[in-house]
Amino acid sequence: MHTIQMVDTRRQYLKIKEAVDAAIHTVIDSSVFIGGKAVGAFAENLAAYNGSRHVIPCANGTDALQIAMMALDLQPGDEVITPSFTYIATVEVVALLRLTPVFVEVDPKTFCIDPAVIEKAITRKTKAIIPVHLYGQAANMGEIMQLAQAHQLHVIEDNAQAIGCDYSFPDGRLQKTGSIGTIGCTSFYPSKNLGCFGDGGAIFTNDDALAAKLKMIANHGQSRQYYHDIVGCNSRLDAIQAAVLNEKLKHLDTYNYTRQKVADYYDRAFAPVSGLITPYRAPHSSHVFHQYTLILEKGSRDELKQHLNAHAVPAMIYYPVPAHKQKMFETFHNNAYSLPVTDWLSERVISIPIHTELDDEQLAYITDQIIAFFN
Ligand SMILES: *Cc1c(COP(=O)(O)O)cnc(C)c1O
């Protein structure tokens, strides 16, 4: 049996090695390493795929979020509503820009921000909401967009874990996550559903003026060469990464479908196990299973993790410490928050391997080990 990994980027690469190697060599031959054809082509292809008018490639997903907030002219002290149950990057950039993160609960079934609690958190200072499509499933964007319109708030989607996910509006209309809010952000970190061979990220918007501004900010606030109109940063997607991504984008739907099949297998295997909650599939969203995250209703999560690791099955806790319990946010009086759902999830979730290269032998082995723990 192949060694089981959380993500098997190597075997995924080997399947498309010829095409990816050729694409990389085309860039090296041209020796245009920054910008150029590969980056332009990828931005166009990704925009078409995602149904977004504009894609602005950048250096990583964290930068994408930062540039998004810079482009919206948020001022120090403005409040940004975010889930506490997320990867730190979502919330860190809020604080970095001297904005005030306002942490709210997630829905315990979807792991995503709960529209009902957003409304209660809105104040005169609120300027934006950041829904995170955690683990590959869309937040309730219909209600979030309605709230945002009613209160004139910006919506920045953190789509780092859900590229390719379809959100279905109450009227049946489908839209890709990342194309719904004011701005969408994603990451091409190697383990993401669409991962490159290093760091990469992208920003999505349907607004022409905002697109121009995002592009300027990612390039030192430059309007034309050596003329800098606003303070920006330097955040670029390398040409080699764009070439890799252009090849991999062709396979994204297959990659996501393969992840869904793994999730189906796990769901069936774990259905009879009491005390283990399998991921909920929200009717408003497809699920691209960036993670397959179980909730251990009873029993010791540490013991389960140790049992799995002892049997060569990796498992991870995403995330053990929610944002409102992180030391870095002490100045935002994060200790005053009471987020029992978030705390409960942080203590109970466990993610098991899910990726495009898991075979039946590995899946049978993983599920056997987990079921054995409960028997
Ligand atoms: C990965 C990730 C990011 C950050 O992406 P980087 O490319 O690593 O900077 C942001 N938010 C979420 C939810 C992520 O999973």
Side-chain angles (χ1 to χ4, degrees):
M1 187 171 67
H2 291 284
T3 307
I4 298 168
Q5 294 175 270
M6 284 303 284
V7 193
D8 194 336
T9 46
R10 176 160 168 82
R11 283 172 69 217
Q12 188 188 56
Y13 159 64
L14 291 177
K15 283 188 180 158
I16 53 165
K17 180 175 170 17
E18 237 173 87
V20 170
D21 289 2
I24 291 173
H25 276 282
T26 304
V27 175
I28 298 174
D29 273 339
S30 76
S31 289
V32 178
F33 296 112
I34 300 291
K37 270 190 199 155
V39 179
F42 174 60
E44 258 177 48
N45 293 338
L46 183 62
Y49 174 86
N50 215 57
S52 297
R53 267 175 77 83
H54 303 277
V55 164
I56 296 96
C58 65
N60 55 65
T62 310
D63 274 9
L65 289 159
Q66 180 185 324
I67 294 163
M69 275 176 254
M70 289 169 77
L72 294 172
D73 285 329
L74 305 184
Q75 300 302 315
D78 285 351
E79 292 177 359
V80 178
I81 297 176
T82 91
S84 175
F85 192 65
T86 181
Y87 180 55
I88 198 68
T90 316
V91 195
E92 185 185 28
V93 293
V94 176
L96 182 74
L97 295 173
R98 301 273 174 253
L99 311 171
T100 302
V102 174
F103 304 114
V104 299
E105 277 297 24
V106 289
D107 177 317
K109 275 158 71 184
T110 63
F111 306 110
C112 290
I113 198 166
D114 185 341
V117 298
I118 295 177
E119 184 147 38
K120 292 191 196 115
I122 295 172
T123 72
R124 275 186 307 112
K125 289 185 179 168
T126 308
K127 292 288 156 57
I129 307 168
I130 313 182
V132 182
H133 306 307
L134 203 70
Y135 304 148
Q137 185 166 241
N140 187 337
M141 289 305 291
E143 284 183 32
I144 293 171
M145 294 309 290
Q146 264 180 7
L147 265 179
Q149 258 151 29
H151 296 269
Q152 296 190 319
L153 305 175
H154 300 296
V155 175
I156 302 163
E157 294 177 76
D158 184 340
N159 197 34
Q161 299 192 358
I163 190 132
C165 172
D166 288 308
Y167 176 79
S168 114
F169 282 89
D171 63 5
R173 196 163 43 90
L174 287 184
Q175 222 175 310
K176 292 273 183 224
T177 51
S179 73
I180 303 166
T182 325
I183 300 179
C185 299
T186 204
S187 162
F188 306 121
Y189 185 81
S191 64
K192 299 282 155 97
N193 289 32
L194 178 61
C196 61
F197 291 179
D199 275 309
I203 311 162
F204 303 82
T205 187
N206 296 320
D207 181 319
D208 296 347
L210 203 47
K213 196 162 174 197
L214 289 160
K215 205 179 253 181
M216 270 174 74
I217 292 172
N219 184 26
H220 299 292
Q222 178 171 287
S223 53
R224 58 192 165 104
Q225 200 170 24
Y226 305 128
Y227 288 79
H228 305 274
D229 298 359
I230 48 179
V231 173
C233 56
N234 170 21
S235 191
R236 301 186 276 243
L237 180 71
D238 292 355
I240 287 180
Q241 300 303 343
V244 170
L245 288 164
N246 241 333
E247 277 310 312
K248 290 187 71 177
L249 180 60
K250 297 175 191 164
H251 304 279
L252 178 58
D253 285 340
T254 310
Y255 289 162
N256 284 341
Y257 177 75
T258 312
R259 286 169 176 273
Q260 284 157 357
K261 291 294 118 187
V262 171
D264 292 346
Y265 186 107
Y266 283 151
D267 281 357
R268 278 195 304 274
F270 299 139
V273 181
S274 80
L276 201 55
I277 305 177
T278 55
Y280 172 73
R281 317 261 185 125
H284 65 235
S285 176
S286 67
H287 200 321
V288 296
F289 285 100
H290 176 60
Q291 298 299 343
Y292 186 89
T293 302
L294 295 158
I295 303 174
L296 202 59
E297 233 180 348
K298 44 185 190 263
S300 160
R301 181 175 66 177
D302 287 348
E303 279 173 27
L304 173 59
K305 193 163 183 268
Q306 276 162 20
H307 165 83
L308 292 176
N309 293 352
H311 292 87
V313 176
M316 296 288 284
I317 310 302
Y318 302 118
Y319 299 93
V321 184
H324 76 284
K325 295 252 167 96
Q326 296 286 355
K327 191 162 190 276
M328 66 154 78
F329 296 126
E330 268 169 4
T331 48
F332 295 104
H333 305 288
N334 52 338
N335 291 331
Y337 281 94
S338 166
L339 302 175
V341 174
T342 297
D343 291 340
W344 184 78
L345 288 174
S346 306
E347 286 160 17
R348 305 266 96 198
V349 290
I350 183 163
S351 301
I352 61 174
I354 191 159
H355 55 78
T356 57
E357 309 307 313
L358 283 166
D359 58 41
D360 282 350
E361 189 189 5
Q362 291 175 312
L363 289 172
Y365 180 79
I366 294 167
T367 50
D368 283 352
Q369 295 308 324
I370 293 174
I371 291 164
F373 175 80
F374 287 93
N375 288 337

